Amino acid sequence: MEKSTQEIIKETAQDLLEKMGFEGPVSVTVETAGAETFSCLIDVAYDQNLLIGQYGMNLAAIQHLIRVMLRKKTPGRLNVTVDINGYFSDKKALLEQEADRAAQEVLRDNISVALRPMLPYERKVVHTFLALHPDII
């Protein structure tokens, strides 16, 4: 019997966690907003800061590793987002609030607003959020 893409993602994430000396439940969900996106949620009981790293850098690296590992196991590229103990979803909400405040300022004062320097995944979240505002360029 052939494994589903979700099962492959879950096994890959669990294998990587075990090799890194961590354990915890892994769940994978499918989000279908345009292109199919998989969310891999990992819950660890201890040392989450080691997995997340400063400003989420380790989490970004883990996500990259999982994506690279999946390329060998699945045909084509998969859009997979990895989150550890809800860090990414919390960060995404904060980034969206920051982008919304900047957008409101732009619309209210009709001026350009510069945002702070961001990591690539943070910029993607902001760009995706601002793309929903047709009045913002």
Side-chain angles (χ1 to χ4, degrees), residues 3-5 11 13-14 16 21 32 35-36 42 53 57 59 64 75 77 86 91-92 96 99 105-106 110 117 132 136:
K3 294 180 185 177
S4 71
T5 303
E11 288 176 6
Q14 285 175 328
L16 181 61
T32 315
E36 193 172 55
I42 302 170
M57 293 296 288
L59 175 55
H64 177 72
R77 287 190 177 196
K91 181 79 168 175
K92 181 179 177 188
E96 288 176 349
E105 184 178 346
V106 166
N110 199 26
L132 301 174
I136 303 293

Side-chain angles (χ1 to χ4, degrees), residues 65-76:
L65 283 173
I66 289 174
R67 286 178 177 171
V68 169
M69 293 167 70
L70 288 169
R71 280 189 208 146
K72 292 187 176 211
K73 297 178 180 184
T74 59

Side-chain angles (χ1 to χ4, degrees), residues 69-133:
M69 293 167 70
L70 288 169
R71 280 189 208 146
K72 292 187 176 211
K73 297 178 180 184
T74 59
R77 287 190 177 196
L78 296 176
N79 191 2
V80 178
T81 303
V82 178
D83 196 0
I84 297 173
N85 290 359
Y87 174 84
F88 184 72
S89 58
D90 294 345
K91 181 79 168 175
K92 181 179 177 188
L94 290 173
L95 288 167
E96 288 176 349
Q97 287 176 353
E98 185 178 343
D100 190 49
R101 276 193 299 267
Q104 297 307 320
E105 184 178 346
V106 166
L107 294 172
R108 182 186 66 236
D109 299 336
N110 199 26
I111 59 168
S112 295
V113 174
L115 297 174
R116 64 177 174 77
M118 296 182 186
L119 297 169
Y121 79 90
E122 293 175 324
R123 281 194 305 275
K124 182 177 181 182
V125 168
V126 170
H127 282 275
T128 303
F129 178 78
L130 291 177
L132 301 174
H133 289 73

